[in-house]
Amino acid sequence: GLGLALALARYLRRSRSVTPVTLAYWDIRGLAQPIRLLLEYTKTPYTEKHFIQGLAPAFDKSCWYSIKDTILGDYPFPNLPYLIDGHTVVTQSNAIIRYIARKGKLLGSTPEAAARVDIMLEEGMDLRNRTVAQAYRPPANNYDDALPAYADTLRAHLARYSRFLGPAPFFAGDELTACDFVMYELLDQNALMVPNVLDAYPNLEGFMARFAALPAIAAYLASDRCIVSPCNNKHSHTSQKGIC
């Protein structure tokens, strides 16, 4: 009776006093979109701080660089994105992803699943680096001429991701984990850059549909909180061409 009522009152008091985490990044999908998806899925209260790059031709970024060395106090690694959770500051996108996923028990429930998570988080970063290179710095700075070779390389890696996923619903097996959030976002971006590129990989298409249908993810993707575009900052070829 009374003991239960007091415990419930303490719980409600604590729930109301939860301070939202702060996620700071450019007003683009970029490195932050998998983090946003994770925060939404784990129902972590959060607020966003957006930095906005200037328009052409200067594409000014002083909104960030003018405060970069002071905004996080004496924290030694200021960078975007950054996450503030109470007294905890986290930078480096994969560190942020692991931090949220660790709290949500999304890093793999067995050593084998955890290994698959780690593998795909690293593969995801390699894929992101290739994606960003094409978006911002294609060979000879010619996006269209470089796209066929980029697409060939992409297909070679998609075949490997498809083989790794196999018949499982998610990349670590039967359980949803952190790497799925990263791979969903990167596969989606690449499908915008190379239309129909996933058609040859039914299990990757199935993964994409399965992930997007998760109730918390579906609600976020349909909400006005979700950044649909741009994927990259204003000076990227993908932004200037309206691709993503």
Side-chain angles (χ1 to χ4, degrees):
L2 180 60
L4 180 60
L6 289 172
L8 180 59
R10 281 196 300 270
Y11 170 77
L12 291 173
R13 208 160 44 239
R14 194 163 57 246
S15 297
R16 283 195 297 268
S17 66
V18 170
T19 302
V21 303
T22 297
L23 174 64
Y25 193 59
W26 301 103
D27 60 337
I28 63 173
R29 285 165 65 167
L31 288 164
Q33 198 76 343
I35 299 169
R36 297 179 182 117
L37 292 169
L38 259 174
L39 290 168
E40 293 285 339
Y41 181 81
T42 57
K43 295 180 168 55
T44 303
Y46 71 101
T47 59
E48 288 203 60
K49 180 177 178 61
H50 286 161
F51 293 87
I52 302 174
Q53 183 183 31
L55 299 173
F59 296 118
D60 181 66
K61 290 184 176 182
S62 61
C63 62
W64 164 244
Y65 287 108
S66 65
I67 61 171
K68 176 179 178 180
D69 292 333
T70 58
I71 193 169
L72 296 177
D74 62 357
Y75 179 77
F77 308 117
N79 208 347
L80 292 177
Y82 67 75
L83 185 85
I84 299 176
D85 183 8
H87 296 294
T88 302
V89 177
V90 189
T91 53
Q92 298 294 346
S93 58
N94 269 351
I96 296 172
I97 285 166
R98 285 186 169 98
Y99 178 79
I100 300 165
R102 191 171 291 113
K103 286 189 166 190
K105 296 180 170 53
L106 292 169
L107 287 178
S109 61
T110 66
E112 293 76 18
R116 292 179 69 88
V117 174
D118 286 338
I119 290 166
M120 288 313 297
L121 283 177
E122 301 308 320
E123 287 293 331
M125 187 54 71
D126 287 347
L127 173 57
R128 175 169 293 286
N129 289 339
R130 289 190 297 270
T131 304
V132 168
Q134 172 65 16
Y136 287 94
R137 302 175 301 277
N141 201 35
N142 190 315
Y143 181 92
D144 294 328
D145 284 357
L147 192 61
Y150 175 80
D152 288 344
T153 300
L154 174 62
R155 291 187 184 94
H157 284 91
L158 289 175
R160 296 186 178 99
Y161 306 148
S162 175
R163 193 160 70 245
F164 191 83
L165 177 64
F170 301 109
F171 278 98
D174 291 333
E175 58 186 299
L176 180 74
T177 63
C179 65
D180 297 309
F181 294 77
V182 171
M183 292 305 297
Y184 172 81
E185 171 61 13
L186 288 169
L187 292 175
D188 189 60
Q189 285 192 29
N190 274 276
L192 293 170
M193 293 168 66
V194 185
N196 306 314
V197 75
L198 296 179
D199 290 357
Y201 313 96
N203 64 338
L204 293 181
E205 289 187 311
F207 161 77
M208 296 292 286
R210 193 176 302 116
F211 183 92
L214 294 168
I217 300 301
Y220 174 65
L221 293 176
S223 76
D224 58 7
R225 298 189 311 282
C226 180
I227 298 176
V228 177
S229 65
C231 294
N232 303 295
N233 243 327
K234 292 183 179 72
H235 64 290
S236 69
H237 290 271
T238 50
S239 291
Q240 293 181 54
K241 291 175 176 290
I243 294 168
C244 171

